[in-house]
Amino acid sequence: MSKKNKEKKLHLSDSQPLDTIGVISLIISYILLITWAILIIWPLAVMVISSFNGGQSRYISLSGNFKFSFKHFKYLFTETYFLKWVKNTIVIAVSTSILTLIIVSFTGYAYSRYRFKGKKGSLMAIMLIQTIPAFAGITAYYAIHSIVSGIIPVFSRTAMLILIYSGGGIASNTFILKGYIDSISKELDEAAKIDGCSNLQLYRLIIMPIARPMLAIIALWSFIGPFMDYMLPKILLTNPSEYTLATGLYTLISDVRTMNAPAFAAGGLLTAIPIIILFISLQNQLVSGLSSGSVKG
């Protein structure tokens, strides 16, 4: 066989050439992926364009001329409590992440490494409790807040919201972290104890550093939650200056008298900045760290 004929039969991979059904399936896959990408990118593009379009006033419209302007951002900072909403949300999100990490790191470690009576039953119980929507217990939240604030006057509804967010994520995050710690070889525990490590030192010096990638994911989820939730802050927080971003920005589109959809879009664009910053700062843990760091058993 000549060299020219050999080159014609060479393929870039070892897989066989696609038949007719394979080609059709590939085309359908590309169509679905492109459609899905458009569905995601289009709303984002509209949000960005509307945020900087000074030609729009109360409603978002793609018709008309585009006029670059920062007036919608100026409206947010001068005519609303946007900066307070940002501060409130970040305080709640950071507090929720820290409290969730502290609790879940202990519960995940305990359920993974210790044997105790009622272990399986308690895991199932807290998981079943999590199926109850958070807003279903709003009456109980009011009662708890009234009792605690009567004893501790500084206990605010914002603090109550932090406890609700933290408690709401304990069960699912405990299961996730327990599964990750289960994959860490117990030979590390035995070796550390031979070297004189106590259980607390084993938790602090061995297990938690290895579980750092999963802790980063839990922290990111816990941080994002308060940014996305609208219902609980709306119910618990009565003062507009105490609102979170989701609840505060919704006031820009919920009332005809204060309608300002372009400013709402500008606020949504700014809301993404803290999440992006946290994601970038945790990128190494979220990506490369997931595939390294422990001996699998």
Side-chain angles (χ1 to χ4, degrees):
M1 185 181 295
S2 64
K3 182 178 180 181
K4 187 175 181 180
N5 291 333
K6 286 183 179 180
E7 291 178 352
K8 288 182 179 180
K9 293 182 176 295
L10 291 177
H11 300 285
L12 294 178
S13 68
D14 294 333
S15 61
Q16 295 295 323
L18 294 176
D19 55 12
T20 303
I21 297 177
V23 172
I24 294 174
S25 300
L26 183 62
I27 293 174
I28 293 175
S29 299
Y30 273 109
I31 291 174
L32 292 176
L33 290 174
I34 293 172
T35 303
W36 185 251
I38 292 173
L39 292 175
I40 295 174
I41 296 173
W42 179 251
L44 296 176
V46 172
M47 180 180 69
V48 174
I49 293 172
S50 300
S51 299
F52 294 98
N53 189 358
Q56 298 178 351
S57 56
R58 302 181 65 183
Y59 300 95
I60 292 176
S61 176
L62 297 181
S63 60
N65 296 327
F66 176 83
K67 181 181 178 183
F68 184 82
S69 174
F70 289 103
K71 77 172 189 177
H72 302 308
F73 295 94
K74 183 179 179 181
Y75 178 87
L76 283 176
F77 291 109
T78 59
E79 303 295 332
T80 69
Y81 295 106
F82 182 76
L83 291 178
K84 289 186 177 180
W85 297 339
V86 172
K87 177 185 175 182
N88 297 338
T89 308
I90 290 178
V91 168
I92 292 173
V94 172
S95 301
T96 300
S97 297
I98 294 174
L99 189 58
T100 300
L101 283 179
I102 292 174
I103 297 174
V104 170
S105 64
F106 281 110
T107 56
Y109 173 70
Y111 275 107
S112 175
R113 288 301 195 252
Y114 289 92
R115 292 183 179 180
F116 51 89
K117 188 176 181 180
K119 175 180 176 180
K120 185 176 180 180
S122 61
L123 274 174
M124 293 303 298
I126 59 177
M127 280 302 294
L128 290 174
I129 292 174
Q130 295 297 304
T131 61
I132 302 174
F135 63 84
I138 194 64
T139 304
Y141 299 150
Y142 275 114
I144 294 172
H145 177 265
S146 298
I147 295 172
V148 177
S149 61
I151 302 173
I152 308 174
V154 295
F155 185 75
S156 63
R157 293 192 175 185
T158 299
M160 187 70 196
L161 196 60
I162 293 172
L163 292 179
I164 293 172
Y165 285 142
S166 302
I170 289 177
S172 57
N173 289 326
T174 295
F175 265 89
I176 293 172
L177 186 60
K178 174 187 177 299
Y180 191 89
I181 296 177
D182 284 343
S183 67
I184 301 174
S185 175
K186 292 186 178 180
E187 294 178 359
L188 292 175
D189 301 31
E190 297 171 0
K193 289 181 179 180
I194 291 175
D195 291 337
C197 283
S198 63
N199 288 327
L200 185 59
Q201 289 175 324
L202 176 63
Y203 157 85
R204 182 172 60 88
L205 300 176
I206 307 297
I207 302 299
M208 287 303 106
I210 294 176
R212 190 178 300 167
M214 188 54 63
L215 293 175
I217 293 175
I218 293 173
L220 182 61
W221 288 345
S222 302
F223 185 84
I224 292 176
F227 280 85
M228 303 303 173
D229 185 37
Y230 160 77
M231 183 172 293
L232 283 177
K234 178 62 177 178
I235 296 174
L236 288 175
L237 307 177
T238 55
N239 190 343
S241 63
E242 296 178 352
Y243 283 168
T244 59
L245 276 169
T247 307
L249 289 176
Y250 185 72
T251 61
L252 299 177
I253 58 174
S254 61
D255 193 334
V256 177
R257 295 169 296 179
T258 60
M259 177 67 69
N260 196 328
F264 176 84
L269 185 63
L270 293 176
T271 300
I273 294 177
I275 299 175
I276 293 173
I277 292 174
L278 181 62
F279 182 84
I280 292 175
S281 63
L282 296 177
Q283 186 175 11
N284 291 335
Q285 296 296 329
L286 296 174
V287 181
S288 62
L290 287 172
S291 60
S292 63
S294 67
V295 178
K296 301 298 180 181

